[in-house]
Amino acid sequence: MLSKKLLRRAAITAASSAACLALSVAALWELDRAFPPPLPAPLTVSTEVQDRDGELLRAFATPDGYWRLETRLDQVDKQFVDMLVAYEDKRFWDHRGVDMLALCRAAGQFATSGHIVSGGSTLSMQLARLIEPRDSRSLASKARQILRAIQIERRLSKREILERYLTLAPYGGNLEGVRAASLAYFGKEPKRLTVSEAALLVALPQLPEKRRPDRNLDIAHAARDRVLTRMVSAGLLNEREAARAALDDVSGLRRKLPALAAHASYAMLPKAQPGKPLQLTIRRSVQQGLEQVAKEAARKLGPKLSVAMVMADARTGDILGEVGSADFFDASRSGWMDMTKVVRSPGSTLKPFIYGLAFEQGLVAQETIIEDSPADFGGYRPKNFDMGYQGDVSIRQALQLSLNVPAIRVLDAVGPARLTARFRQAGVNLVLPLNEAPGLAIGLGGAGVTLRDLVQLYTGLANGGKMHTLHDGTEPANAGRVTATILDDQAAWQIDDILSGVKPPEGAAQRGIAYKTGTSYGYRDAWSVGFDGRYVLGVWVGRADAGPVPGLSGYVSAAPILFEGFVRSGLGSVPLPGRPPGVFNLKREELPVTLARFGAGSDGLVQATPTEPAPTIVFPPDGARVDLGTNSADASPLVLKLQGGRAPFRWLANGKPLAGIDRRRTATWQPDGTGYSTLTVIDAAGRAASVKVFVE
């Protein structure tokens, strides 16, 4: 009877205990749901602007003034993580938020010494303290941390807990998180830390203000050494490794966080979303090099002068580097103004496109003679920059020397409206005086253009005539992207060949680039734009307020910056585009009579004599052998060019007319095989001209 009573009493006790336990668990469950830990997703972190490869260009402080960079484990040195866990919470991967052994050890130390020796806090408990800062080190606050740590472990994985800790841990001043600390104290991301650096970053969060190396260097040094000693005891380092690390100096310098691409970064801010980095097409190494060149050049140029630069990939339109001013924070140079987007007079930098259209239309060859002498174009009397004249020069010399009168003679024949229309097709609109039509003055800078637009035009020269709209990532998602032909590939090659022969500025290394300079009226703007077979760099120098600068010129002021910019960009040199099939660069004595000397008649058509001549085929020359790759899948058509005659024109190949009648003096013909062919053109007056060519 007694044993039955005991069994019944034990059963009742067990049931009661189970019921109490169940009620306790249910109550804790409800409390957990009613009072969840504050775990915002995402965290409030600094807005980051990254380059095309994910490297940090610039960060902006949080609204409460902290540098707090979101951190993932794959962004941090693994050895640092191992050292952190070994130092702070060696059973981190095994416990569920609370390490009872560590708590018991801390309680025993407190009981025997009368004061707190170690807190026994896990990383989860430390994260709880970071998201809910405590007022004092009391038993109540410790109990709260324990409960919060258990809640956190139920909601986050171990990896997520570590990442939040590494993002929020204090490192002194307004630095939070290991990335901000590593950038500020070591000038690098924490991906590859030395043993000494890792040990210091492990030590700082316990007493971040007391151990700040920029204020208490000796204390920081001692704390670093204590971590190294503990790592030897934990078996993560051997004594020799720890001894070597202890010999490393602890820097007392706090560096500024990366602050590159200021203008583009600020332009990106409206796109910012919490926890998501912003990305530009810029390459960090290129941007860093260009900014340094611009800052050094501005110091040499003098007060109030600024420098702007844009470097782009001609094959894609990606902007790899853009410097809006020499120094964003220099008020004396109006550094806040992004001079890459300000409309200014381009000086002579549009001349290559004038000559390019003339090549395209068959009006000139490189060795065609043109007169550089005083001229009057309906009251417009252009003068050369040096106020002198060269007399008879070749087209090649006229462009390389940037002579004004020959350029206007050619523009008069090509037509200003045709030039501006070609620019519009390429997405670039010249800014003209109000209610004025395009005139000859645009050839010498009598229109407005931005540095970005100018570089965009030159990408066509670097890319065989094909141009892409420039973009850096700041543009609206629905912004129009233009791919256009600024010149045909043959004309583009002729311009490339001429500009590649321009003498580099004194002291500059030859890098196989073609370039053009320009100076605006009144010495207000100096320009230089250069390119190789892939990259284009444009440079502007001047005052942001458009004030005149005596002695300012493209060749003296901007060209040296261009060449130094190519060097400091770190980009390898890419050969200029090769000669397209069927292109000839004839010597002067080989030119047909109509290309020997340039002259424009009253109707704007190029003429060899004052009277209307008979048509003459100037390309291909008679008897030429032309390699068009006819037997390959990508065979090229042959461009046909003529001078003289009266429009419209009909072309024939081997007696068979080509499709259509054209008023232009250019046409294309796709041969159906190799061998000799006869090409004939007939003008409106019935006059004809023929050449015989051999197609390969």
Side-chain angles (χ1 to χ4, degrees):
M1 290 293 293
L2 184 61
S3 61
K4 287 183 179 182
K5 287 181 180 180
L6 290 173
L7 287 173
R8 189 180 300 115
R9 192 174 297 169
I12 292 171
T13 301
S16 299
S17 300
C20 290
L21 181 61
L23 287 172
S24 299
V25 170
L28 289 173
W29 181 272
E30 287 301 319
L31 286 171
D32 179 69
R33 291 179 58 189
F35 302 99
L39 294 172
L43 293 171
T44 300
V45 294
S46 297
T47 297
E48 295 183 44
V49 181
Q50 298 178 350
D51 80 342
R52 63 192 298 115
D53 301 314
E55 292 190 41
L56 183 64
L57 288 170
R58 192 180 195 90
F60 295 90
T62 62
D64 52 355
Y66 283 88
W67 296 108
R68 185 187 301 131
L69 305 180
E70 187 167 19
T71 306
R72 302 187 309 273
L73 280 182
D74 59 8
Q75 295 175 300
V76 183
D77 192 304
K78 184 180 182 302
Q79 186 177 40
F80 163 76
V81 176
D82 292 341
M83 291 171 68
L84 173 68
V85 171
Y87 189 80
E88 291 286 356
D89 187 1
K90 62 183 179 182
R91 283 177 285 275
F92 170 73
W93 299 105
D94 301 318
H95 63 64
R96 299 300 299 169
V98 180
D99 186 346
M100 296 307 299
L101 291 176
L103 281 178
C104 291
R105 182 198 69 235
Q109 291 171 337
F110 177 77
T112 56
S113 65
H115 61 86
I116 297 175
V117 177
S118 63
S121 294
T122 63
L123 287 172
S124 303
M125 292 168 64
Q126 292 184 46
L127 177 59
R129 186 175 71 245
L130 292 173
I131 63 177
E132 285 185 311
R134 63 189 179 186
D135 297 327
S136 62
R137 299 185 68 179
S138 63
L139 292 177
S141 63
K142 179 66 71 174
R144 183 183 180 88
Q145 283 178 30
I146 290 172
L147 293 174
R148 284 302 196 198
I150 295 170
Q151 287 183 297
I152 289 170
E153 290 270 352
R154 292 187 61 247
R155 288 166 170 80
L156 300 179
S157 67
K158 291 289 188 179
R159 182 184 182 90
E160 290 171 329
I161 291 170
L162 260 182
E163 289 180 338
R164 291 212 172 206
Y165 175 83
L166 294 174
T167 299
L168 297 173
Y171 280 90
N174 63 345
L175 296 176
E176 289 191 353
V178 69
R179 286 184 62 210
S182 183
L183 288 165
Y185 294 134
F186 312 135
K188 64 180 181 180
E189 292 276 0
K191 183 65 176 176
R192 291 179 177 83
L193 298 170
T194 66
V195 173
S196 172
E197 292 167 345
L200 179 61
L201 292 181
V202 167
L204 287 179
Q206 288 79 46
L207 295 168
E209 292 304 321
K210 187 177 180 180
R211 295 176 178 177
R212 283 179 61 172
D214 59 324
R215 293 190 177 179
N216 303 300
L217 186 59
D218 291 340
I219 296 175
H221 197 287
R224 190 266 326 253
D225 290 349
R226 283 196 295 273
V227 173
L228 291 174
T229 301
R230 181 86 67 83
M231 292 305 103
V232 173
S233 301
L236 284 181
L237 296 176
N238 59 46
E239 292 185 359
R240 183 173 295 180
E241 286 177 308
R244 279 200 304 266
L247 294 175
D248 290 345
D249 290 333
V250 174
S251 172
L253 176 67
R254 173 172 165 171
R255 300 164 178 82
K256 293 181 179 179
L257 266 63
L260 298 170
H263 296 91
S265 295
Y266 277 101
M268 286 289 279
L269 278 182
K271 295 184 175 183
Q273 297 181 30
K276 291 186 178 180
L278 301 166
Q279 193 161 39
L280 295 168
T281 62
I282 285 171
R283 182 171 293 163
R284 188 178 191 276
S285 58
V286 174
Q287 183 71 24
Q288 202 163 18
L290 295 185
E291 287 194 16
Q292 194 62 35
V293 169
K295 191 170 291 187
E296 292 172 3
R299 281 199 295 265
K300 293 177 183 177
L301 288 165
K304 297 186 178 180
L305 280 167
S306 193
V307 177
M309 308 172 77
V310 174
M311 180 166 249
D313 185 335
R315 299 179 188 175
T316 62
D318 289 352
I319 291 178
L320 303 178
E322 56 183 335
V323 182
S325 65
D327 187 342
F328 184 80
F329 297 104
D330 189 343
S332 69
R333 304 180 194 273
S334 301
W336 63 86
M337 291 184 64
D338 186 354
M339 298 306 298
T340 69
K341 299 177 181 178
V342 175
V343 175
R344 303 300 282 260
S345 166
S348 297
T349 55
L350 299 182
K351 287 177 181 175
F353 303 98
I354 297 172
Y355 288 102
L357 287 179
F359 277 111
E360 197 174 274
Q361 296 172 39
L363 304 182
V364 297
Q366 286 197 35
E367 294 303 321
T368 297
I369 295 298
I370 189 168
E371 188 177 358
D372 178 31
S373 61
D376 188 327
F377 300 88
Y380 178 55
R381 300 180 179 88
K383 295 179 175 59
N384 286 326
F385 186 76
D386 61 0
M387 306 304 290
Y389 298 94
Q390 302 288 324
D392 283 352
V393 294
S394 68
I395 291 293
R396 182 181 181 89
Q397 291 170 326
L399 179 53
Q400 288 182 342
L401 297 173
S402 196
L403 301 175
N404 289 344
V405 178
I408 298 304
R409 291 186 190 277
V410 175
L411 180 58
D412 191 37
V414 169
R418 179 173 291 172
L419 179 67
T420 55
R422 187 65 64 90
F423 288 163
R424 281 197 302 272
Q425 292 171 11
V428 174
N429 292 301
L430 298 184
V431 178
L432 299 169
L434 188 64
N435 298 324
E436 284 196 18
L440 295 177
I442 64 174
L444 304 182
V449 71
T450 68
L451 177 59
R452 276 183 67 151
D453 282 347
L454 195 59
V455 171
Q456 181 169 307
L457 292 175
Y458 272 77
T459 61
L461 297 180
N463 199 38
K466 303 295 184 188
M467 189 222 73
H468 300 280
T469 302
L470 296 193
H471 55 277
D472 62 4
T474 63
E475 300 80 5
N478 58 352
R481 297 282 294 277
V482 176
T483 300
T485 300
I486 191 68
L487 292 172
D488 69 32
D489 60 343
Q490 299 188 16
W493 181 85
Q494 297 283 4
I495 299 301
D496 294 356
D497 188 57
I498 293 173
L499 295 183
S500 65
V502 178
K503 181 182 177 182
E506 186 175 353
Q510 177 59 266
R511 278 179 54 90
I513 64 174
Y515 80 107
K516 182 74 183 75
T517 61
T519 308
S520 70
Y521 177 77
Y523 303 97
R524 287 174 168 81
D525 310 276
W527 305 82
S528 186
V529 189
F531 57 92
D532 60 15
R534 180 161 188 175
Y535 304 110
V536 182
L537 176 59
V539 176
W540 170 87
V541 178
R543 287 177 51 156
D545 61 4
V549 184
L552 189 73
S553 76
Y555 187 77
V556 173
S557 307
I561 301 174
L562 174 82
F563 278 77
E564 184 66 17
F566 264 105
V567 172
R568 301 274 279 276
S569 72
L571 299 173
S573 182
V574 180
L576 288 163
R579 186 196 301 254
V583 173
F584 292 89
N585 194 5
L586 300 177
K587 297 179 181 178
R588 188 170 302 169
E589 59 271 16
E590 297 173 336
L591 293 174
V593 64
T594 50
L595 281 178
R597 176 175 286 275
F598 180 89
S602 60
D603 61 356
L605 301 176
V606 172
Q607 301 180 10
T609 65
T611 61
E612 182 186 83
T616 303
I617 298 175
V618 296
F619 189 85
D622 189 37
R625 299 178 71 90
V626 184
D627 184 3
L628 300 176
T630 306
N631 293 326
S632 65
D634 55 349
S636 302
L638 179 62
V639 176
L640 313 176
K641 300 180 181 181
L642 68 92
Q643 284 189 355
R646 183 185 304 166
F649 306 100
R650 177 173 291 281
W651 288 88
L652 300 91
N654 298 319
K656 296 181 179 180
L658 303 185
I661 298 176
D662 207 331
R663 299 190 65 84
R664 296 176 301 173
R665 285 174 164 74
T666 60
T668 57
W669 168 57
Q670 185 71 61
D672 55 8
T674 59
Y676 282 103
S677 292
T678 300
L679 301 171
T680 303
V681 65
I682 304 173
D683 75 350
R687 296 171 296 182
S690 297
V691 295
K692 182 175 285 189
V693 298
F694 186 85
V695 177
E696 298 177 339

